[in-house]
CSV table of all heavy atoms in Angstrom, one decimal:
chain,number,residue,atom,x,y,z
A,2,TYR,N,-2.1,-25.8,-2.8
A,2,TYR,CA,-2.9,-24.9,-3.6
A,2,TYR,C,-3.0,-25.4,-5.0
A,2,TYR,O,-2.0,-25.5,-5.6
A,2,TYR,CB,-2.1,-23.5,-3.6
A,2,TYR,CG,-2.8,-22.4,-4.3
A,2,TYR,CD1,-3.6,-21.5,-3.5
A,2,TYR,CD2,-2.5,-22.2,-5.6
A,2,TYR,CE1,-4.2,-20.3,-4.2
A,2,TYR,CE2,-3.2,-21.1,-6.2
A,2,TYR,CZ,-4.1,-20.1,-5.5
A,2,TYR,OH,-4.7,-19.1,-6.1
A,3,THR,N,-4.3,-25.8,-5.3
A,3,THR,CA,-4.4,-26.4,-6.7
A,3,THR,C,-5.2,-25.5,-7.7
A,3,THR,O,-5.6,-25.9,-8.7
A,3,THR,CB,-5.1,-27.7,-6.5
A,3,THR,OG1,-6.4,-27.5,-5.8
A,3,THR,CG2,-4.4,-28.7,-5.7
A,4,GLY,N,-5.3,-24.3,-7.3
A,4,GLY,CA,-6.0,-23.3,-8.2
A,4,GLY,C,-6.7,-22.1,-7.4
A,4,GLY,O,-6.6,-22.1,-6.3
A,5,GLU,N,-7.3,-21.3,-8.2
A,5,GLU,CA,-8.1,-20.1,-7.5
A,5,GLU,C,-9.1,-20.6,-6.4
A,5,GLU,O,-9.7,-21.7,-6.7
A,5,GLU,CB,-8.7,-19.3,-8.5
A,5,GLU,CG,-7.8,-18.4,-9.4
A,5,GLU,CD,-7.4,-17.2,-8.6
A,5,GLU,OE1,-8.2,-16.4,-8.1
A,5,GLU,OE2,-6.1,-17.0,-8.4
A,6,PHE,N,-9.3,-19.9,-5.4
A,6,PHE,CA,-10.3,-20.1,-4.4
A,6,PHE,C,-11.6,-20.0,-4.9
A,6,PHE,O,-12.0,-18.8,-5.4
A,6,PHE,CB,-10.0,-19.3,-3.2
A,6,PHE,CG,-11.0,-19.4,-2.0
A,6,PHE,CD1,-10.7,-20.5,-1.1
A,6,PHE,CD2,-12.0,-18.6,-1.8
A,6,PHE,CE1,-11.6,-20.7,0.0
A,6,PHE,CE2,-12.9,-18.8,-0.8
A,6,PHE,CZ,-12.6,-19.8,0.2
A,7,LEU,N,-12.5,-21.0,-5.0
A,7,LEU,CA,-13.8,-21.0,-5.4
A,7,LEU,C,-14.0,-20.1,-6.7
A,7,LEU,O,-14.7,-19.1,-6.7
A,7,LEU,CB,-14.8,-20.4,-4.3
A,7,LEU,CG,-14.9,-21.3,-3.1
A,7,LEU,CD1,-15.9,-20.6,-2.1
A,7,LEU,CD2,-15.5,-22.7,-3.4
A,8,PRO,N,-13.3,-20.6,-7.8
A,8,PRO,CA,-13.4,-19.8,-9.0
A,8,PRO,C,-14.8,-19.5,-9.6
A,8,PRO,O,-15.0,-18.4,-10.2
A,8,PRO,CB,-12.6,-20.6,-10.0
A,8,PRO,CG,-12.5,-21.9,-9.4
A,8,PRO,CD,-12.6,-21.8,-8.0
A,9,ALA,N,-15.7,-20.4,-9.4
A,9,ALA,CA,-17.1,-20.2,-9.9
A,9,ALA,C,-17.9,-19.1,-9.2
A,9,ALA,O,-18.8,-18.6,-9.7
A,9,ALA,CB,-17.9,-21.6,-9.8
A,10,GLN,N,-17.4,-18.8,-8.0
A,10,GLN,CA,-18.0,-17.7,-7.2
A,10,GLN,C,-17.2,-16.5,-7.1
A,10,GLN,O,-17.3,-15.7,-6.1
A,10,GLN,CB,-18.4,-18.2,-5.8
A,10,GLN,CG,-19.7,-19.0,-5.6
A,10,GLN,CD,-19.6,-20.3,-6.2
A,10,GLN,OE1,-20.0,-20.5,-7.3
A,10,GLN,NE2,-19.1,-21.3,-5.4
A,11,ALA,N,-16.4,-16.3,-8.1
A,11,ALA,CA,-15.5,-15.1,-8.1
A,11,ALA,C,-16.1,-13.7,-7.9
A,11,ALA,O,-15.6,-12.9,-7.4
A,11,ALA,CB,-14.6,-15.2,-9.3
A,12,GLY,N,-17.4,-13.7,-8.3
A,12,GLY,CA,-18.1,-12.5,-8.3
A,12,GLY,C,-18.7,-12.1,-6.9
A,12,GLY,O,-19.1,-11.0,-6.6
A,13,VAL,N,-18.6,-13.1,-5.9
A,13,VAL,CA,-19.2,-12.8,-4.5
A,13,VAL,C,-18.0,-12.2,-3.7
A,13,VAL,O,-16.8,-12.6,-3.7
A,13,VAL,CB,-19.5,-14.2,-3.9
A,13,VAL,CG1,-20.0,-14.0,-2.5
A,13,VAL,CG2,-20.5,-14.9,-4.7
A,14,LEU,N,-18.3,-11.1,-3.0
A,14,LEU,CA,-17.3,-10.3,-2.5
A,14,LEU,C,-16.5,-11.0,-1.5
A,14,LEU,O,-15.2,-10.9,-1.6
A,14,LEU,CB,-18.0,-9.1,-1.6
A,14,LEU,CG,-17.1,-8.1,-0.9
A,14,LEU,CD1,-16.2,-7.5,-1.9
A,14,LEU,CD2,-17.9,-7.1,-0.2
A,15,TRP,N,-17.0,-11.8,-0.5
A,15,TRP,CA,-16.1,-12.5,0.4
A,15,TRP,C,-15.2,-13.5,-0.3
A,15,TRP,O,-14.1,-13.7,0.1
A,15,TRP,CB,-17.0,-13.2,1.5
A,15,TRP,CG,-17.5,-14.5,1.2
A,15,TRP,CD1,-18.8,-14.7,0.6
A,15,TRP,CD2,-16.9,-15.8,1.4
A,15,TRP,NE1,-19.0,-16.1,0.5
A,15,TRP,CE2,-17.9,-16.7,0.8
A,15,TRP,CE3,-15.8,-16.2,1.9
A,15,TRP,CZ2,-17.6,-18.1,0.9
A,15,TRP,CZ3,-15.5,-17.6,1.8
A,15,TRP,CH2,-16.4,-18.6,1.4
A,16,VAL,N,-15.7,-14.1,-1.3
A,16,VAL,CA,-14.9,-15.1,-2.1
A,16,VAL,C,-13.8,-14.3,-2.8
A,16,VAL,O,-12.6,-14.9,-2.7
A,16,VAL,CB,-15.7,-15.9,-3.1
A,16,VAL,CG1,-14.9,-16.7,-4.0
A,16,VAL,CG2,-16.8,-16.7,-2.3
A,17,ALA,N,-14.0,-13.2,-3.4
A,17,ALA,CA,-13.0,-12.5,-4.1
A,17,ALA,C,-11.9,-12.0,-3.1
A,17,ALA,O,-10.7,-12.0,-3.5
A,17,ALA,CB,-13.6,-11.3,-4.8
A,18,GLN,N,-12.3,-11.7,-2.0
A,18,GLN,CA,-11.3,-11.2,-1.0
A,18,GLN,C,-10.5,-12.3,-0.5
A,18,GLN,O,-9.2,-12.2,-0.4
A,18,GLN,CB,-12.0,-10.5,0.3
A,18,GLN,CG,-12.7,-9.3,0.0
A,18,GLN,CD,-13.6,-8.8,1.1
A,18,GLN,OE1,-14.1,-9.6,1.9
A,18,GLN,NE2,-13.8,-7.4,1.1
A,19,GLU,N,-11.0,-13.5,-0.2
A,19,GLU,CA,-10.3,-14.7,0.2
A,19,GLU,C,-9.4,-15.1,-1.0
A,19,GLU,O,-8.2,-15.6,-0.7
A,19,GLU,CB,-11.1,-15.8,0.6
A,19,GLU,CG,-11.8,-15.6,2.0
A,19,GLU,CD,-10.7,-15.6,3.0
A,19,GLU,OE1,-9.9,-14.7,3.3
A,19,GLU,OE2,-10.6,-16.8,3.7
A,20,ALA,N,-9.8,-15.1,-2.2
A,20,ALA,CA,-9.0,-15.6,-3.5
A,20,ALA,C,-7.9,-14.7,-3.5
A,20,ALA,O,-6.7,-15.2,-3.8
A,20,ALA,CB,-9.9,-15.5,-4.7
A,21,LYS,N,-8.0,-13.4,-3.3
A,21,LYS,CA,-6.9,-12.5,-3.5
A,21,LYS,C,-5.9,-12.8,-2.3
A,21,LYS,O,-4.6,-12.8,-2.6
A,21,LYS,CB,-7.3,-11.1,-3.3
A,21,LYS,CG,-6.2,-10.0,-3.4
A,21,LYS,CD,-6.8,-8.7,-3.3
A,21,LYS,CE,-5.7,-7.6,-3.4
A,21,LYS,NZ,-6.2,-6.3,-3.3
A,22,ARG,N,-6.3,-13.1,-1.1
A,22,ARG,CA,-5.5,-13.4,0.0
A,22,ARG,C,-4.7,-14.7,-0.1
A,22,ARG,O,-3.5,-14.7,0.0
A,22,ARG,CB,-6.3,-13.5,1.3
A,22,ARG,CG,-5.4,-13.6,2.6
A,22,ARG,CD,-6.2,-13.3,3.8
A,22,ARG,NE,-7.2,-14.6,4.1
A,22,ARG,CZ,-6.8,-15.7,4.6
A,22,ARG,NH1,-5.6,-15.7,5.1
A,22,ARG,NH2,-7.6,-16.7,4.8
A,23,TYR,N,-5.4,-15.7,-0.6
A,23,TYR,CA,-4.7,-17.0,-0.8
A,23,TYR,C,-3.7,-16.9,-2.0
A,23,TYR,O,-2.7,-17.5,-2.0
A,23,TYR,CB,-5.8,-18.1,-1.1
A,23,TYR,CG,-6.4,-18.5,0.2
A,23,TYR,CD1,-7.8,-18.5,0.3
A,23,TYR,CD2,-5.7,-19.0,1.2
A,23,TYR,CE1,-8.4,-18.9,1.5
A,23,TYR,CE2,-6.3,-19.5,2.4
A,23,TYR,CZ,-7.8,-19.4,2.5
A,23,TYR,OH,-8.3,-19.8,3.7
A,24,ARG,N,-4.0,-16.1,-3.1
A,24,ARG,CA,-3.2,-16.0,-4.2
A,24,ARG,C,-1.9,-15.4,-3.8
A,24,ARG,O,-0.8,-15.8,-4.1
A,24,ARG,CB,-3.8,-15.1,-5.3
A,24,ARG,CG,-3.2,-15.2,-6.6
A,24,ARG,CD,-3.8,-14.2,-7.6
A,24,ARG,NE,-5.3,-14.4,-7.6
A,24,ARG,CZ,-6.2,-13.4,-7.4
A,24,ARG,NH1,-5.8,-12.2,-7.0
A,24,ARG,NH2,-7.5,-13.7,-7.4
A,25,SER,N,-2.0,-14.3,-2.9
A,25,SER,CA,-0.8,-13.6,-2.4
A,25,SER,C,0.0,-14.6,-1.5
A,25,SER,O,1.2,-14.6,-1.6
A,25,SER,CB,-1.3,-12.4,-1.5
A,25,SER,OG,-0.1,-11.8,-0.9
A,26,LEU,N,-0.6,-15.4,-0.7
A,26,LEU,CA,0.1,-16.4,0.1
A,26,LEU,C,0.8,-17.4,-0.8
A,26,LEU,O,2.0,-17.8,-0.4
A,26,LEU,CB,-0.9,-17.2,1.0
A,26,LEU,CG,-1.3,-16.4,2.3
A,26,LEU,CD1,-2.5,-17.2,3.0
A,26,LEU,CD2,-0.2,-16.2,3.3
A,27,PHE,N,0.2,-17.8,-1.8
A,27,PHE,CA,0.8,-18.8,-2.7
A,27,PHE,C,2.0,-18.2,-3.4
A,27,PHE,O,3.1,-18.9,-3.5
A,27,PHE,CB,-0.2,-19.2,-3.7
A,27,PHE,CG,0.4,-20.2,-4.7
A,27,PHE,CD1,0.7,-21.5,-4.5
A,27,PHE,CD2,0.5,-19.8,-6.1
A,27,PHE,CE1,1.3,-22.4,-5.4
A,27,PHE,CE2,1.0,-20.6,-7.1
A,27,PHE,CZ,1.4,-21.9,-6.8
A,28,TYR,N,1.9,-17.0,-3.9
A,28,TYR,CA,3.0,-16.3,-4.5
A,28,TYR,C,4.2,-16.2,-3.5
A,28,TYR,O,5.4,-16.6,-3.9
A,28,TYR,CB,2.7,-14.8,-4.9
A,28,TYR,CG,1.8,-14.8,-6.2
A,28,TYR,CD1,1.3,-15.9,-6.7
A,28,TYR,CD2,1.4,-13.5,-6.6
A,28,TYR,CE1,0.4,-15.8,-7.9
A,28,TYR,CE2,0.6,-13.3,-7.7
A,28,TYR,CZ,0.1,-14.6,-8.3
A,28,TYR,OH,-0.6,-14.4,-9.5
A,29,SER,N,4.0,-15.9,-2.3
A,29,SER,CA,5.0,-15.7,-1.3
A,29,SER,C,5.7,-17.1,-1.0
A,29,SER,O,6.8,-17.2,-0.9
A,29,SER,CB,4.4,-15.2,0.0
A,29,SER,OG,5.4,-15.1,1.1
A,30,CYS,N,4.8,-18.2,-0.9
A,30,CYS,CA,5.2,-19.6,-0.7
A,30,CYS,C,6.1,-20.0,-1.8
A,30,CYS,O,7.1,-20.6,-1.6
A,30,CYS,CB,4.0,-20.4,-0.5
A,30,CYS,SG,4.4,-22.0,0.1
A,31,VAL,N,5.7,-19.8,-3.0
A,31,VAL,CA,6.6,-20.2,-4.1
A,31,VAL,C,7.9,-19.5,-4.1
A,31,VAL,O,9.0,-20.1,-4.4
A,31,VAL,CB,5.8,-19.9,-5.5
A,31,VAL,CG1,6.7,-20.3,-6.7
A,31,VAL,CG2,4.6,-20.8,-5.6
A,32,GLU,N,7.9,-18.2,-3.9
A,32,GLU,CA,9.1,-17.4,-3.9
A,32,GLU,C,10.1,-17.9,-2.9
A,32,GLU,O,11.3,-18.1,-3.0
A,32,GLU,CB,8.8,-15.9,-3.7
A,32,GLU,CG,8.2,-15.2,-5.0
A,32,GLU,CD,7.5,-14.0,-4.6
A,32,GLU,OE1,7.6,-13.5,-3.5
A,32,GLU,OE2,7.0,-13.2,-5.6
A,33,LYS,N,9.6,-18.2,-1.7
A,33,LYS,CA,10.4,-18.7,-0.6
A,33,LYS,C,10.9,-20.1,-0.9
A,33,LYS,O,12.1,-20.4,-0.6
A,33,LYS,CB,9.6,-18.7,0.7
A,33,LYS,CG,9.4,-17.3,1.3
A,33,LYS,CD,8.4,-17.3,2.5
A,33,LYS,CE,8.1,-16.0,3.0
A,33,LYS,NZ,7.1,-15.9,4.2
A,34,THR,N,10.1,-20.9,-1.5
A,34,THR,CA,10.5,-22.3,-1.9
A,34,THR,C,11.7,-22.2,-2.9
A,34,THR,O,12.6,-22.9,-2.7
A,34,THR,CB,9.4,-23.0,-2.5
A,34,THR,OG1,8.3,-23.1,-1.6
A,34,THR,CG2,9.7,-24.4,-2.9
A,35,VAL,N,11.5,-21.3,-3.9
A,35,VAL,CA,12.5,-21.1,-4.9
A,35,VAL,C,13.8,-20.6,-4.3
A,35,VAL,O,14.9,-21.1,-4.7
A,35,VAL,CB,12.0,-20.2,-6.0
A,35,VAL,CG1,13.1,-19.7,-7.0
A,35,VAL,CG2,10.9,-20.9,-6.8
C-alpha cells in the first residue's frame, strides 16, 4: 500500500468506495503488524 487508491479519480463513486475499503484494510494491517 503506497498511497490512496486512484487519488486523481477520488470523485468517481466506485473509486471512492474502493479507496475507503483499501484504507480500512491498511489500517487493520498496520495495527496487526504493530
Side-chain angles (χ1 to χ4, degrees):
Y2 187 93
T3 55
E5 283 283 299
F6 180 80
L7 293 179
Q10 275 73 262
V13 179
L14 181 59
W15 80 269
V16 173
Q18 291 171 338
E19 284 291 78
K21 181 179 178 181
R22 186 173 70 86
Y23 283 123
R24 194 183 310 123
S25 178
L26 282 173
F27 177 67
Y28 286 4
S29 175
C30 187
V31 174
E32 288 167 356
K33 290 174 181 177
T34 302
V35 169

